[in-house]
Amino acid sequence: MAVNCDENKKVREIFDAAIKLESEIENDSNSSSSISHQEKTTRCIQMLEDVTRMISELGLFSTNEDVDEVITSDLRYFLLPALLGYLTLRRIESLVSRLDLLKIADVYYKDFLTRCQDYKIAKVEAKEKDDSDACTNSTDLAQMTRRREQKIQRFREQKANEVRLAELSKLVESEHSDEEVRREFYLVTIKRWISTALEDLDSIHMEKGMLEQMADSRLNQSNVKAPDKPRPCLEVSYQ
C-alpha cells in the first residue's frame, strides 16, 4: 500500500526514539520503582501506542502477506506488541492492579507471537497452559520433560541470536550496510524478542495463577463481583 512519505517518516522517527528510550530503561541503574524510571516507562509506552495507532491508520500490513512480502524498513514494527508487553510488565501503577497489568502484557505478547506465526517468521505457539491437562503422572512427566527440552532449545537459540545480533549491529551501523544485512538484523531481532516473549509468558502464567488464587480467596470472603477482564490499550490492525 502506498504511504505518504512524510507520515512514514514521522512513524519511523517516533519508533526509533521509543527504541532508544527502551534501551535507556533496560540499562537504567535506578530502581525500577523510582519515579524517573516509571516516568520513562510510561512515556515509552505512550510513544509505542502512538506508533501502533499510526501504523493501523496507514494500513502498512495485510494478513494476506508473509514476511518475505514485507519491505525491510517495516519489519521493525512487528516488535510493537512485544515491546508493549515488556514495558507493561515493568509498570508500577497505583490505579491498575498487578493482575490487570499481567493480563494486558499477556495479550500483547500473544498478539506478537501470533503475528510472527501468521507471517511465517517463526513456528511458535502461544497456548494457554492448563493444569487440568496433567491427568496422570505419566502425562505430567511427559509435559515436564517437553517443557524442559523447549526451554533448553529456547536458551540455545537466544544465545545464538544474541551473538549474531552483535555481529549484525556493527554491520548495520556502517554507512555501507546493504538491505540484506539490515533485513537479517530486523529478523534476528524479532526472533530474539520471541524468546523473551516466551520466557515472560511463562513468568506471567505463574504469577497470574498465584494472584488469581489470592483474589479468589478475597472474593469468596467479601462476596464481591470480580472485575471484567482488561483489554490492551491498542492493537495493531493487520487488514
Side-chain angles (χ1 to χ4, degrees):
M1 178 177 176
V3 179
N4 182 285
C5 292
D6 290 338
E7 292 176 333
N8 208 346
K9 181 180 179 182
K10 183 178 180 181
V11 171
R12 186 170 62 252
E13 288 176 348
I14 297 174
F15 181 83
D16 288 346
I19 289 293
K20 183 178 179 181
L21 183 56
E22 188 276 329
S23 179
E24 290 180 15
I25 293 168
E26 193 169 348
N27 296 299
D28 193 350
S29 59
N30 293 321
S31 168
S32 61
S33 60
S34 68
I35 294 176
S36 63
H37 188 96
Q38 286 299 308
E39 285 178 345
K40 287 181 182 179
T41 301
T42 299
R43 186 164 72 253
C44 193
I45 288 174
Q46 291 171 345
M47 294 167 71
L48 293 170
E49 287 175 347
D50 287 342
V51 174
T52 300
R53 188 182 300 106
M54 295 168 73
I55 287 177
S56 295
E57 291 172 354
L58 292 172
L60 293 181
F61 297 101
S62 169
T63 52
N64 296 323
E65 297 177 326
D66 61 34
V67 68
D68 292 335
E69 298 173 85
V70 179
I71 63 174
T72 298
S73 59
D74 287 348
L75 287 173
R76 69 188 79 185
Y77 302 130
F78 278 95
L79 296 174
L80 281 167
L83 291 166
L84 284 165
Y86 176 82
L87 291 167
T88 297
L89 285 179
R90 281 140 190 85
R91 283 177 60 195
I92 299 175
E93 176 60 64
S94 60
L95 299 178
V96 183
S97 72
R98 177 62 180 171
L99 181 57
D100 285 349
L101 290 174
L102 290 172
K103 291 178 179 179
I104 292 171
D106 181 89
V107 174
Y108 276 134
Y109 272 139
K110 287 178 179 175
D111 177 65
F112 168 64
L113 295 177
T114 298
R115 301 308 168 190
C116 291
Q117 176 79 14
D118 290 346
Y119 278 77
K120 300 180 176 63
I121 296 174
K123 293 182 179 180
V124 59
E125 295 182 76
K127 292 183 178 181
E128 291 283 357
K129 295 180 180 178
D130 188 350
D131 292 337
S132 63
D133 289 340
C135 298
T136 65
N137 289 336
S138 59
T139 303
D140 187 39
L141 181 59
Q143 288 179 341
M144 290 175 61
T145 301
R146 184 173 65 253
R147 288 175 185 171
R148 183 176 64 250
E149 291 174 349
Q150 288 173 344
K151 286 186 177 182
I152 293 172
Q153 180 63 24
R154 194 187 307 162
F155 175 80
R156 289 173 177 168
E157 290 175 354
Q158 187 168 8
K159 288 301 180 182
N161 287 334
E162 288 174 356
V163 170
R164 185 55 180 156
L165 269 180
E167 297 171 348
L168 290 169
S169 294
K170 297 177 182 178
L171 296 174
V172 168
E173 291 172 1
S174 169
E175 296 180 0
H176 305 293
S177 64
D178 58 26
E179 182 176 350
E180 184 177 345
V181 170
R182 292 194 300 274
R183 191 171 188 87
E184 185 183 359
F185 172 78
Y186 289 131
L187 289 173
V188 175
T189 300
I190 292 170
K191 290 176 181 178
R192 173 179 173 269
W193 273 98
I194 288 174
S195 297
T196 298
L198 291 170
E199 289 294 331
D200 279 354
L201 281 171
D202 284 343
S203 299
I204 288 170
H205 174 73
M206 294 177 62
E207 186 178 353
K208 192 167 64 170
M210 291 187 294
L211 291 176
E212 285 176 341
Q213 287 182 353
M214 293 170 61
D216 288 342
S217 177
R218 289 194 298 268
L219 185 64
N220 291 333
Q221 293 176 7
S222 60
N223 197 27
V224 177
K225 183 181 178 182
D228 294 332
K229 182 178 181 180
R231 298 287 298 171
C233 301
L234 291 168
E235 294 182 359
V236 181
S237 175
Y238 295 75
Q239 301 175 344

